[in-house]
């Protein structure tokens, strides 16, 4: 039996993730064959099962990777803005715009939802906590009306998540994106302190 180093194991895992991401994006989860995926990665089905358990586990890992990238992009958007309120608004808008990106649309908002259900409780809590921190600061600065920041964050997160899925449900979601952005502006305006 050949022992593999930690670096080799990490390399194998990364290769499987990269290939799965490409195949799921191009073909969709349902059409992706594990034999084709592992052959294209130059690996065996055993490697896939060792690292991810099964095809569903592989999808969950791909979604977690994309979610992490989306989160980093959103944090960069809000951090790059001098005005915290504008940073918050731009972050919310950017999230909706991501629903039109083919990889996010197909893997995260369509296939993952159909196969894995809603986002994991941990992922949801992470997103809500990030929004809550921003909203807490905006409430303290009297930019946003006095309300529980966690409740506000949960409502904003839920609205954004459902709107993103609604946008992603159709191939040409530009019209839906436009409608959602108008509605988002109304919701965000309602948060402002009077």
């Amino acid at each position: 039996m050949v022992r593999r180093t930690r670096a080799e194991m990490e390399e194998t895992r990364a290769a499987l993730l990269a290939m799965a991401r490409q195949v799921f994006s191009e073909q969709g989860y349902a059409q992706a064959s594990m034999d084709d995926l592992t052959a294209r990665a130059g690996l065996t089905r055993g490697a896939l099962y060792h690292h991810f358990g099964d095809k569903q586990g592989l999808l969950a890992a791909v979604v977690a990777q994309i979610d992490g990238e989306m989160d980093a992009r959103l944090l960069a958007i809000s951090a790059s803005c001098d005005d915290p309120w504008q940073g918050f608004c731009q972050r919310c808008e950017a999230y909706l715009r991501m629903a039109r990106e083919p990889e996010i649309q197909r893997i995260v908002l369509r296939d993952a939802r159909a196969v894995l259900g809603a986002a994991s409780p941990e992922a949801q809590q992470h997103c809500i906590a990030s929004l809550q921190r921003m909203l807490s600061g905006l409430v303290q600065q009297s930019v946003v009306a006095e309300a529980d920041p966690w409740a506000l964050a949960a409502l904003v997160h839920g609205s954004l998540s459902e709107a993103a899925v609604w946008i992603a449900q159709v191939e040409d979601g530009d019209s839906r994106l436009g409608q959602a952005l108008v509605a988002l502006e109304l919701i965000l305006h309602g948060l402002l302190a009077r």
Side-chain angles (χ1 to χ4, degrees):
M1 183 173 168
V2 176
R3 286 249 189 237
R4 297 179 58 105
T5 66
R6 181 180 198 97
E8 290 171 325
M9 297 291 281
E10 289 174 9
E11 186 178 307
T12 298
R13 186 177 196 285
L16 283 166
L17 272 173
M19 187 53 62
R21 192 167 168 166
Q22 179 183 345
V23 171
F24 291 161
S25 183
E26 292 169 359
Q27 301 173 11
Y29 176 83
Q31 301 303 316
S33 153
M34 291 299 90
D35 289 331
D36 180 47
L37 190 146
T38 53
R40 286 173 65 176
L43 298 164
T44 65
R45 264 187 163 220
L48 183 144
Y49 293 125
H50 172 76
H51 289 280
F52 304 103
D54 58 13
K55 183 178 173 184
Q56 193 170 325
L58 181 58
L59 176 63
V62 168
V63 169
Q65 184 181 59
I66 294 171
D67 276 348
E69 292 167 6
M70 290 171 66
D71 189 45
R73 287 171 58 190
L74 294 170
L75 287 171
I77 288 167
S78 53
S80 69
C81 227
D82 292 334
D83 179 338
W85 172 248
Q86 287 305 313
F88 180 76
C89 293
Q90 288 177 17
R91 178 186 175 133
C92 293
E93 182 180 318
Y95 181 79
L96 292 180
R97 290 188 184 283
M98 286 179 186
R100 294 296 298 130
E101 295 178 21
E103 183 180 57
I104 293 170
Q105 183 180 52
R106 178 169 231 166
I107 297 173
V108 177
L109 298 173
R110 288 185 183 170
D111 288 350
R113 190 147 174 138
V115 175
L116 306 172
S120 72
E122 297 83 20
Q124 289 180 18
Q125 293 303 311
H126 175 77
C127 292
I128 293 169
S130 181
L131 290 170
Q132 184 265 334
R133 285 189 295 276
M134 294 181 78
L135 286 164
S136 288
L138 291 166
V139 168
Q140 289 173 0
Q141 296 167 17
S142 298
V143 173
V144 168
E146 186 69 37
D148 181 78
W150 187 266
L152 289 174
L155 288 167
V156 169
H157 174 264
S159 299
L160 291 172
S161 296
E162 289 305 312
V165 170
W166 179 68
I167 293 164
Q169 286 174 341
V170 294
E171 286 303 318
D172 180 20
D174 290 341
S175 175
R176 286 187 177 185
L177 174 60
Q179 294 166 353
L181 290 172
V182 169
L184 175 64
E185 190 174 330
L186 291 172
I187 290 170
L188 294 177
H189 182 74
L191 295 176
L192 291 171
R194 302 282 180 239

